[in-house]
Amino acid sequence: MCGIIGYVGPQDAGKVVISGLKRLEYRGYDSAGIALQNVQQPELLVVRTAGKVTELEIELDARQPLFSTGTAIGHTRWATHGEPTRENAHPHSSSSGNIVVAHNGIIDNYLVIKQLLQGQGIEFTSETDTEVIAHLIEHYYEGELSEAVGRALQQLEGTYGLMVMSALHPNMLVTARNGSPIVVGICDGETVIASDVSAVVSHTKQVIYLDDGDLLTTTSDGVSITSLRNLPVARDAIEIDWDIEAIEKGGFEHFMRKEIHEQPTALQNTLRGRLDFSSSSTKLSGMQMGPTKLADIDRIMVAACGTSLYAGMVGKHLFEDFTGIPTDILHAAEFRDHNPIVQRGTCMLAISQSGETADTLGAVRECLRKGAQVLGICNVVGSTIAREAGKGVYLHAGPEIGVASTKAFTSQVAVLAMMAILLGRSRRLSADSGQRMIDELSRLPELAQAVLDQEDEIAGIAAKYARAEHAFFLGRGYMYPAALEGALKLKELSYIHAEGYHAAELKHGPIALLTEQVPVIVIAPDSSGKSRTLANIQECKARKAPVIAIVTEGERDINGLVDDVISIPHCEEFIAAIPAVIAEQLFAYHIARERGCEIDQPRNLAKAVTVE
Ligand code: AGP
């Protein structure tokens, strides 16, 4: 997915857009571009580069003295069609050069339209789907820009969050949304439009989220929203509940390390007001489900991707242990590929930090179509999945800028635990058990802090294994998803090939890969399967593989058995994945740092994958 931003107002639009692109760069960063409007004469300056926004800034500075302007659009790209080159960077121009488009999404029928336009003599200069949009708008242009955009978009199939600017329409931007997020910052005398609030919040906290099918026309007089057929549309503004500092590094070297250390606070915010000690249960009003509706749920399905999927796997154990409700975990894409069975009593949980992941959004729409109860578990307020699900539970973990997800995972598990308590208390979970569980949840911030306090020791252990090229992470029960998450963190941050495996599974083949050069991280805190996992460690040591054990502090059965030990504080098994994964986050972070990797924006990745 990509980041797009547009500005209309009295400030130097080039500076506003470049600054906004830097805040959006975590969404995609393989090429970038900007278009500025010359208000003295009908002319656009378009500057595009392969590489990051800083390279674009250098090139713009060299060319911008040509004119300063109050209107501009910018784009930072995560390549889908065409390599990350200057020619494929956005914004893309129409043949006359009078119309430019910056786009986030995928146009499914672009090839058909491209061939039609080529048949009319239009020459294309890029491999992208987006360029088709610029030519199509020009094809329909008869003097009124919004109308030309609306007519062109009615021919498109696929997803877009896009912005259009024309040399012939000073101080005007036309923006449209279908499947890719667009947020509009409403300020006095100026408008900032972007893919997400991180590029808007420094200007205003009053924002409007466009819905699919909306067309926004912005001029120096303000904004108007219509449908593609020019019918008026009303959208309410909402107030952003965090400040610009939340997306600054705050003295940390990387956003990721900041967000790892924010977890005690993030967990406090996730839990705040939701532990109901009077009823030994939890309060999750966003679910909009009273006791009868809760009792009607006879099956849970979880749809998610990546780290969110692994949080959902912890949720499976929570729901089946504490509510007795059968729970299925599906890769979100499977909801479209394999037509899962969804019944009246099915409750689908869509877990997504960004709330914009295309595969998860597709699963939400599929389940809504089949009449299931759908709950969104998202971090970004007002995100597409949250709005289309219509109900659910926000993480309140604060913005997560580092592409590798950290505090979202631990807050997701905390939310799932609270949901399990709520659902359990509408079934067989006793008040005493409920009380014990919410007491344990209230300890989460201190448990997280206890692990963070060991960062130096964990960094020292990480340094020993920073040169490995392969690694395994093992766990069972609640710790199996933790093993998968630890492997994902190491993979995406350090580019080491790491595999998460069920501890019992290693001996069924993968153990053939163990050598003295293949470290094995084993997660074995006090838990039901610990003794069997310790036996698995013996199997690894018999093949001379170095073993790093993540165990409960004071564990004596591990002494002399492994090469390194990371201790996590005593806690109940149902929440042990949280301190264990925080230890894995620090382990992966320090290995990546030792290897000199680009930590906040690892190669090939993007923060939210809004393409299928
Ligand atoms: C996690 O570190 C990855 N960046 C990725 O797996 C991510 O969790 C996945 O793309 C899902 O994102 P979401 O939670 O925003 O839907």
Side-chain angles (χ1 to χ4, degrees):
M1 54 139 235
C2 313
I4 60 177
I5 179 169
Y7 176 77
V8 177
Q11 296 185 58
D12 180 330
K15 286 185 169 41
V16 171
V17 166
I18 289 291
S19 169
L21 285 178
K22 288 176 178 175
R23 297 208 183 279
L24 293 170
E25 207 164 19
Y26 72 103
R27 301 173 62 90
Y29 34 86
D30 56 42
S31 52
I34 188 171
L36 298 103
Q37 196 180 57
N38 186 343
V39 291
Q40 270 78 41
Q41 59 189 32
E43 177 195 13
L44 298 175
L45 171 65
V46 180
V47 180
R48 299 180 294 168
T49 57
K52 295 201 164 185
V53 174
T54 45
E55 291 159 69
L56 175 67
E57 187 173 23
I58 291 165
E59 190 153 338
L60 178 64
D61 286 348
R63 295 177 55 186
Q64 182 168 358
L66 294 174
F67 55 82
S68 67
T69 169
T71 307
I73 59 176
H75 184 280
T76 180
R77 185 170 181 243
W78 184 68
T80 55
H81 295 71
E83 291 184 13
T85 61
R86 177 195 303 270
E87 293 71 26
N88 288 329
H90 303 209
H92 286 285
S93 303
S94 62
S95 303
S96 68
N98 284 334
I99 292 172
V100 291
V101 178
H103 165 232
N104 175 26
I106 287 184
I107 304 304
D108 298 329
N109 63 336
Y110 85 98
L111 277 177
V112 170
I113 297 172
K114 184 169 182 174
Q115 287 155 5
L116 286 172
L117 292 169
Q118 286 172 323
Q120 295 171 10
I122 301 288
E123 292 187 10
F124 282 75
T125 59
S126 80
E127 306 161 86
T128 68
D129 52 342
T130 303
E131 190 184 351
V132 164
I133 304 172
H135 294 304
L136 197 58
I137 292 169
E138 185 150 83
H139 172 78
Y140 285 109
Y141 181 75
E142 295 173 345
E144 210 287 312
L145 186 60
S146 300
E147 183 188 330
V149 174
R151 292 175 66 188
L153 296 185
Q154 291 174 62
Q155 309 307 314
L156 301 182
E157 295 165 13
T159 58
Y160 53 78
L162 61 83
M163 290 174 198
V164 182
M165 190 167 70
S166 168
L168 307 175
H169 295 268
N171 297 323
M172 178 184 282
L173 289 184
V174 179
T175 308
R177 180 218 143 114
N178 189 52
S180 295
I182 291 283
V183 62
V184 186
I186 307 295
C187 331
D188 292 336
E190 59 184 6
T191 306
V192 183
I193 309 160
S195 301
D196 69 45
V197 289
S198 60
V200 171
V201 71
S202 60
H203 300 275
T204 178
K205 289 188 174 184
Q206 289 295 322
V207 299
I208 292 173
Y209 282 91
L210 294 190
D211 265 354
D212 288 353
D214 286 356
L215 189 88
L216 173 86
T217 302
T218 305
T219 66
S220 44
D221 299 328
V223 301
S224 70
I225 305 177
T226 65
S227 68
L228 298 185
R229 289 185 165 79
N230 202 25
L231 299 174
V233 168
R235 292 279 176 254
D236 296 330
I238 63 172
E239 175 97 12
I240 297 301
D241 62 356
W242 45 269
D243 299 314
I244 188 67
E245 288 69 29
I247 57 172
E248 304 282 3
K249 287 183 185 172
F252 285 89
E253 186 182 355
H254 299 107
F255 278 112
M256 181 188 176
R257 182 157 181 268
K258 176 189 173 208
E259 288 150 14
I260 289 173
H261 282 268
E262 279 178 341
Q263 289 178 103
T265 304
L267 286 163
Q268 268 168 341
N269 293 335
T270 300
L271 298 169
R272 181 169 289 116
R274 292 168 164 173
L275 301 183
D276 187 355
F277 291 90
S278 63
S279 66
S280 303
S281 186
T282 56
K283 290 182 288 189
L284 300 171
S285 53
M287 288 173 63
Q288 299 171 32
M289 297 173 98
T292 308
K293 268 198 167 180
L294 290 170
D296 285 345
I297 296 171
D298 61 16
R299 183 160 164 256
I300 294 171
M301 298 177 87
V302 172
C305 303
T307 288
S308 298
L309 179 72
Y310 302 147
M313 291 173 71
V314 178
K316 174 181 172 66
H317 288 283
L318 289 163
F319 291 124
E320 294 187 348
D321 284 354
F322 298 110
T323 73
I325 301 173
T327 301
D328 296 318
I329 304 291
L330 284 89
H331 294 274
E334 291 292 291
F335 275 81
R336 287 233 273 186
D337 297 346
H338 293 291
N339 188 24
I341 298 168
V342 176
Q343 293 141 324
R344 283 183 62 80
T346 301
C347 177
M348 189 269 222
L349 305 182
I351 306 175
S352 175
Q353 189 285 130
S354 63
E356 302 298 346
T357 299
D359 286 331
T360 310
L361 179 58
V364 167
R365 290 171 174 169
E366 192 64 13
C367 284
L368 287 171
R369 218 171 278 129
K370 294 177 186 288
Q373 292 278 356
V374 177
L375 300 175
I377 300 177
C378 300
N379 194 33
V380 178
V381 175
S383 57
T384 305
I385 289 171
R387 289 184 297 121
E388 294 206 10
K391 50 182 185 284
V393 184
Y394 279 122
L395 301 185
H396 297 317
E400 187 177 73
I401 306 300
V403 168
S405 193
T406 51
K407 61 180 181 176
F409 175 87
T410 49
S411 287
Q412 286 165 345
V413 172
V415 164
L416 291 165
M418 289 192 283
M419 290 175 109
I421 294 167
L422 183 65
L423 282 164
R425 293 285 288 124
S426 71
R427 288 163 171 76
R428 296 290 304 133
L429 192 67
S430 69
D432 286 350
S433 299
Q435 191 61 47
R436 176 174 53 77
M437 291 178 74
I438 60 177
D439 287 342
E440 194 69 354
L441 284 182
S442 63
R443 296 180 59 221
L444 281 174
E446 76 180 72
L447 295 172
Q449 190 57 52
V451 181
L452 297 174
D453 292 345
Q454 297 183 68
E455 178 169 17
D456 290 345
E457 292 82 358
I458 295 171
I461 294 170
K464 291 171 62 177
Y465 301 97
R467 296 295 150 227
E469 286 312 311
H470 303 279
F472 277 97
F473 287 73
L474 304 183
R476 63 175 71 219
Y478 285 88
M479 297 309 122
Y480 173 46
L484 296 172
E485 172 57 12
L488 176 59
K489 284 285 110 24
L490 190 61
K491 267 195 280 267
E492 63 180 341
L493 288 165
S494 68
Y495 312 144
I496 291 173
H497 174 242
E499 290 198 51
Y501 248 89
H502 191 286
E505 274 297 298
L506 193 74
K507 55 185 175 291
H508 296 284
I511 201 166
L513 296 177
L514 292 196
T515 69
E516 290 173 292
Q517 281 73 45
V518 180
V520 182
I521 297 86
V522 184
I523 309 159
D526 287 347
S527 53
S528 49
K530 183 185 78 171
S531 59
R532 290 186 291 281
T533 303
L534 296 185
N536 300 137
I537 289 177
Q538 301 270 18
E539 294 155 8
C540 297
K541 291 307 300 169
R543 278 79 188 174
K544 300 188 185 338
V547 173
I548 303 101
I550 299 177
V551 295
T552 301
E553 62 193 357
E555 172 61 67
R556 283 190 296 277
D557 295 345
I558 210 82
N559 294 342
L561 184 60
V562 299
D563 301 78
D564 291 283
V565 176
I566 297 173
S567 296
I568 60 174
H570 287 275
C571 65
E572 297 225 11
E573 181 175 4
F574 78 95
I575 58 165
I578 289 176
V581 164
I582 293 174
E584 292 176 315
Q585 292 166 359
L586 290 169
F587 182 76
Y589 171 82
H590 285 286
I591 283 186
R593 191 168 178 280
E594 189 76 21
R595 291 168 69 102
C597 294
E598 166 63 67
I599 287 175
D600 283 332
Q601 298 171 358
R603 69 184 180 205
N604 305 339
L605 299 187
K607 185 57 183 173
V609 184
T610 56
V611 293
E612 291 176 335

